[in-house]
Amino acid sequence: MKRFLTVENLTVVGILLGIAGGILVPDVMLSLKFIGDIFLNLLKMIVIPLIFVSIFMSIASLSSINDLKNMGSKAILYYFMTTALAVFTGIVITNIIQFDVSSIQKTDQIINVNSFTWEAFLNSLIPSNIFKSFAEGKAIHVILFSILFAVAVVGLMKNKKDPVVGFFDGSNDALLKIAKWIISLSPVGVFSLIGYVVADKGIGVILSLWQYVVVVIIGILIHAVFNLGLIGYLVGKFNPLDYFKKVREAILVAFSTCSSSATLPVSLEVATEKAKVDKKVAGFVLPLGATVNMDGTALYEAVAAIFIASVFGIELSLFQQIIIFVTATLAAIGAASIPSAGLVTMTLVFSAVGLPLEGIAIIIAVDRFLDMFRTATNVWGDLIGAKIVSRFVNGKDK
Ligand code: ASP
């Protein structure tokens, strides 16, 4: 019995009860919306501190500025390019396989976005008051500041650096603990959010989810097999299939735990012991990658935003798709490597293009299922990255 009472199983129960409640007692579910709102607020409460501290820690744990320059620049280039490629793949697929959500009740919501200029865009990346950016939840500002701060700390004398890193190391663990507590409230939060959506919009919304699931999985498979496989073959000069066979244990652990960080010890072990990737490279690229490199999450965030836009009858302009491209990349970088973290940073993508946050309640129903696929892809992307960086740092694996 105790084995059954896990958060994941209870979340499934919450979803089913919410759907039943939405159909049978819609008025009750409408009045219980505040519970779901509290759950959403808790998710929003944790996201910014979590982004700041997790990015800081992955950079600050480097031993010297030289390490940062040498491996860091190569790893970060790889992370950015593959994450952006993943989002691009997701957006292209959703444009090819158009979602048919005609059975779903539409809203006449219109989104106003100011016209785009590069000057304004570049200017908007730079915070003028970092506390204001924290308070307003501007993720991009927080990420930039976190990187700057971490790089500065790496260059400090040991006696000054250690207390700062120690403080944030502890803070990181504490924040992850809070995130876990919040995620453990999912069964109740999900019950209220799903119940509200079904009561408000009808069961068609939930039934239409199969299209979303199929598109995310197709996108993830294309990215994991073709994009990453080809990059490994062409840039890393290795056979991706052979490499997969050596590291597959980590992929399976990622698939079943839905956590890149929980998988990290296994990734390190298989990369260094079985696939003979250089230890120093693996020791840097895999932990940093577990925090910032999430191709599966990035792809899923983009597809989810486009899906929810069509559910709410919102036409996305090219400019809004570009915003989705940028924010999904950043949201994936900022997502913690624990189950359902992608769902937390999803609020950033939705807010950036003005999508209703209630949309998250619609996709939460299949989130755990998709988390398995995206986490496996996240870890596979980290492992490919470690192999490629080791080729460029050492000339060959040791
Ligand atoms: N569970 C994922 C990971 O740990 C993050 C996510 O929720 O997308 O890699």
Side-chain angles (χ1 to χ4, degrees):
M1 187 65 191
K2 239 190 164 177
R3 270 240 225 106
F4 175 78
L5 293 179
T6 59
V7 175
E8 295 83 54
N9 289 344
L10 289 176
T11 304
V12 176
V13 173
I15 289 166
L16 296 176
L17 286 178
I19 294 173
I23 297 170
L24 301 172
V25 281
D27 290 342
V28 176
M29 293 316 296
L30 289 176
S31 68
L32 289 181
K33 179 175 182 274
F34 72 94
I35 298 177
D37 287 342
I38 293 175
F39 179 61
L40 277 178
N41 282 343
L42 286 170
L43 290 175
K44 285 194 271 173
M45 172 187 84
I46 196 78
V47 61
I48 290 295
L50 209 52
I51 287 176
F52 179 77
V53 176
S54 70
I55 292 198
F56 172 85
M57 273 316 294
S58 43
I59 297 178
S61 39
L62 289 170
S63 52
S64 73
I65 288 285
N66 272 347
D67 273 352
L68 182 66
K69 276 195 199 137
N70 193 15
M71 271 187 275
S73 54
K74 292 179 180 87
I76 286 166
L77 185 72
Y78 168 83
Y79 298 150
F80 259 110
M81 287 179 60
T82 49
T83 305
L85 182 63
V87 181
F88 182 73
T89 307
I91 293 180
V92 169
I93 291 172
T94 43
N95 278 287
I96 295 172
I97 311 174
Q98 297 270 334
F99 291 116
D100 174 15
V101 285
S102 49
S103 59
I104 296 161
Q105 202 185 314
K106 304 270 163 62
T107 59
D108 356 306
Q109 215 153 337
I110 293 165
I111 304 176
N112 293 316
V113 180
N114 297 332
S115 58
F116 178 82
T117 63
W118 280 106
E119 290 85 345
F121 174 70
L122 290 176
N123 213 2
S124 72
L125 298 182
I126 310 299
S128 59
N129 177 343
I130 192 63
F131 290 103
K132 192 160 169 257
S133 303
F134 268 97
E136 290 175 352
K138 295 246 164 66
I140 174 124
H141 292 176
V142 173
I143 289 173
L144 262 179
F145 185 73
S146 178
I147 292 173
L148 269 182
F149 186 57
V151 171
V153 169
V154 171
L156 293 178
M157 301 284 289
K158 195 173 165 2
N159 63 337
K160 300 212 166 161
K161 175 179 152 177
D162 287 353
V164 182
V165 175
F167 171 77
F168 283 111
D169 194 18
S171 305
N172 195 21
D173 287 356
L175 286 169
L176 285 175
K177 205 180 260 182
I178 298 177
K180 272 207 187 111
W181 290 338
I182 297 172
I183 290 167
S184 70
L185 298 176
S186 310
V188 183
V190 157
F191 163 74
S192 158
L193 290 167
I194 289 278
Y196 172 78
V197 170
V198 173
D200 190 45
K201 298 231 171 303
I203 189 70
V205 173
I206 307 300
L207 293 181
S208 69
L209 277 182
W210 71 268
Q211 299 176 47
Y212 160 65
V213 169
V214 167
V215 170
V216 171
I217 292 178
I218 289 178
I220 274 178
L221 287 177
I222 290 178
H223 183 71
V225 177
F226 289 105
N227 296 352
L228 292 178
L230 220 57
I231 290 173
Y233 183 71
L234 295 176
V235 185
K237 304 266 184 256
F238 61 90
N239 181 334
L241 197 62
D242 282 350
Y243 188 55
F244 177 80
K245 283 185 196 147
K246 287 176 186 148
V247 300
R248 65 171 174 233
E249 203 179 317
I251 313 291
L252 287 178
V253 172
F255 193 80
S256 48
T257 60
C258 289
S259 168
S260 305
S261 57
T263 312
L264 189 59
V266 187
S267 314
L268 282 167
E269 158 86 14
V270 290
T272 55
E273 299 302 321
K274 290 199 177 151
K276 305 283 176 235
V277 175
D278 180 77
K279 280 206 167 83
K280 194 172 176 202
V281 174
F284 168 72
V285 176
L286 292 176
L288 181 62
T291 316
V292 301
N293 184 46
M294 298 198 182
D295 296 1
T297 303
L299 187 146
Y300 134 93
E301 305 234 359
V303 174
I306 295 172
F307 174 72
I308 290 304
S310 49
V311 168
F312 282 87
I314 297 165
E315 280 269 338
L316 292 171
S317 63
L318 183 64
F319 175 60
Q320 283 169 315
Q321 297 206 25
I322 293 174
I323 296 185
I324 290 180
F325 175 80
V326 175
T327 51
T329 305
L330 294 175
I333 293 171
S337 42
I338 54 171
S340 303
L343 201 62
V344 179
T345 54
M346 184 77 83
T347 52
L348 303 171
V349 185
F350 279 32
S351 315
V353 277
L355 292 173
L357 288 187
E358 289 77 30
I360 290 179
I362 299 172
I363 50 173
I364 213 169
V366 288
D367 196 69
R368 179 72 191 194
F369 180 64
L370 291 180
D371 204 355
M372 303 197 290
F373 291 89
R374 59 184 199 255
T375 309
T377 312
N378 294 344
V379 170
W380 174 231
D382 297 340
L383 286 161
I384 294 258
K387 182 88 174 159
I388 289 179
V389 172
S390 84
R391 177 183 168 233
F392 285 100
V393 169
N394 299 316
K396 59 182 174 51
D397 297 341
K398 275 180 200 158

